[in-house]
Amino acid sequence: MPKEHLKEAFKKVRQENGELQKKLRAFQNSMVRDSIEISPEFHKSLSATDTSAIREPMQKLFWEEQQKALMTKKRGMRWHPMMIRLAILLHSKSKAAYETLRTTGVVELPAETTLRQYTSAVRLEQGFQPEVMAELKKFADSLQPHQRYVVLLHDEMTIKSDLVFDERSGALVGFVNKDMWTFEKMATHALVFYVVGVNSHLKMSLGYFGTRTATSDQLMPLLWTAIGCVEECGLQVVASTSDKASPNQRLYQLHQIPGIQDVCFKAVNMFAPERVLSVFHFRPTSFNKNCEEQPREQWE
């Protein structure tokens, strides 16, 4: 082989060796920068832990995810769907407590940006959203006939009046619902419709409306619209309930048949006339108090 060819081959090998050395140093620097230093005792406890001895499935999954998170780069972590659900639940209870757990390193949890990708899958707007109804219908298709009986709840809760800019739509959020009010004012209450399964684990919010204390004539069309949406999804609404607020009492009185019913406790389901829709309301605190005051033998 000519001398010139040997020199070229030697230069090429040296260049490749230099590039490999650079990649190795970059990898070592990234390991030092992104790794988490733990004590030998903690490492020994992690290595010695036998997750097969944990019988509770959720506890076992939680511990396995914690081990995986400690040994994986933060941006490369792929969380289990059940851990995502648990994190969303904790974050919804207290955002400050969730961030405290994450920043102190007591528990490895997904970042808020990760949770936002899941919670923002359905765009939240006032009213009954088609995306929510599609998910409800998808869930209803998997139920047995006896599991399709549901109860519709509605409740109005006080919220802090404020305006928020929605970056996705470019609109200001916080005004009352335009279909219920002729003026634009900031909402003081949020009216929420919620569906719960009687023989299933179904619990889903149908939609919400910004209000300033809705009246019975405003609740009437919303109630039957919600019932119609649920019935179209393949579920059967057997009852509608709420608290004992004055508009709700008046709402149920509007279903009363004059001369036949002294107290309205049922109505004809206009979407399924062969079925009766039970309507009732009570004060949860008073109901629980009465149950506690009664002797136990009366409830057995």
Side-chain angles (χ1 to χ4, degrees):
M1 180 180 292
K3 186 177 181 179
E4 290 77 10
H5 290 178
L6 289 174
K7 288 183 178 180
E8 292 295 332
F10 183 70
K11 288 181 180 179
K12 186 176 181 180
V13 171
R14 290 185 61 182
Q15 290 178 356
E16 293 177 353
N17 188 28
E19 292 177 358
L20 291 175
Q21 290 291 337
K22 290 181 180 179
K23 291 182 180 180
L24 179 60
R25 286 193 295 269
F27 177 74
Q28 291 175 345
N29 293 333
S30 64
M31 290 290 293
V32 174
R33 182 179 64 254
D34 300 331
S35 61
I36 301 175
E37 184 177 358
I38 59 177
S39 62
E41 293 79 8
F42 185 57
H43 181 270
K44 184 178 180 180
S45 63
L46 286 176
S47 304
T49 302
D50 184 13
T51 56
S52 61
I54 304 177
R55 296 183 178 181
E56 183 65 30
M58 192 61 192
Q59 293 180 0
K60 182 177 181 180
L61 174 64
F62 179 80
W63 182 246
E64 290 176 350
E65 289 293 296
Q66 293 299 302
Q67 288 181 312
K68 185 171 68 173
L70 289 173
M71 301 178 183
T72 307
K73 188 177 178 180
K74 291 186 178 297
R75 293 187 178 181
M77 179 63 184
R78 295 294 180 266
W79 295 95
H80 192 277
M82 289 302 298
M83 280 297 300
I84 295 292
R85 293 184 179 183
L86 177 62
I88 293 175
L89 175 62
L90 295 176
H91 189 270
S92 64
K93 295 296 183 181
S94 176
K95 180 180 178 181
Y98 185 86
E99 281 302 308
T100 302
L101 290 175
R102 285 194 68 252
T103 54
T104 55
V106 176
V107 180
E108 294 293 330
L109 293 170
E112 280 190 287
T113 54
T114 303
L115 302 184
R116 198 175 298 116
Q117 293 176 358
Y118 288 88
T119 56
S120 302
V122 177
R123 185 175 176 181
L124 296 180
E125 293 181 349
Q126 294 193 45
F128 302 111
Q129 300 302 316
E131 295 84 357
V132 177
M133 300 306 163
E135 289 294 325
L136 184 61
K137 187 178 187 306
K138 182 179 178 181
F139 183 84
D141 293 339
S142 63
L143 298 177
Q144 298 295 328
H146 69 279
Q147 295 178 321
R148 299 192 176 188
Y149 297 104
V150 297
V151 176
L152 181 67
L153 301 90
H154 69 271
D155 190 17
E156 195 174 44
M157 61 196 74
T158 305
I159 60 175
K160 180 181 178 181
S161 298
D162 199 359
L163 295 178
V164 179
F165 178 73
D166 187 359
E167 296 181 356
R168 300 176 64 180
S169 62
L172 288 175
V173 180
F175 291 106
V176 295
N177 186 264
K178 295 181 179 179
D179 298 332
M180 300 173 59
W181 306 87
T182 57
F183 53 84
E184 287 192 359
K185 287 188 177 181
M186 287 190 294
T188 59
H189 295 74
L191 175 64
V192 181
F193 286 86
Y194 200 80
V195 61
V196 179
V198 177
N199 296 323
S200 65
H201 297 287
L202 172 62
K203 294 181 181 179
M204 183 177 293
S205 175
L206 295 179
Y208 77 97
F209 300 85
T211 67
R212 295 178 69 90
T213 308
T215 59
S216 58
D217 58 332
Q218 293 172 332
L219 290 173
M220 174 71 87
L222 294 179
L223 173 65
W224 284 105
T225 301
I227 294 175
C229 292
V230 176
E231 292 280 349
E232 288 181 0
C233 293
L235 300 174
Q236 299 180 11
V237 183
V238 296
S240 173
T241 181
S242 63
D243 58 16
K244 207 172 181 180
S246 298
N248 295 329
Q249 296 185 48
R250 176 58 182 164
L251 171 66
Y252 296 142
Q253 290 176 2
L254 294 176
H255 294 83
Q256 182 177 348
I257 302 177
I260 299 179
Q261 290 179 320
D262 295 332
V263 178
C264 181
F265 59 90
K266 64 180 180 179
V268 177
N269 190 339
M270 64 176 63
F271 297 96
E274 70 279 2
R275 284 189 279 111
V276 174
L277 176 70
S278 300
V279 292
F280 58 92
H281 53 73
F282 59 88
R283 293 181 181 177
T285 54
S286 301
F287 180 77
N288 294 337
K289 183 178 180 181
N290 293 335
C291 292
E292 293 175 358
E293 292 177 352
Q294 295 294 333
R296 182 179 178 85
E297 291 77 9
Q298 296 186 10
W299 301 99
E300 294 180 348

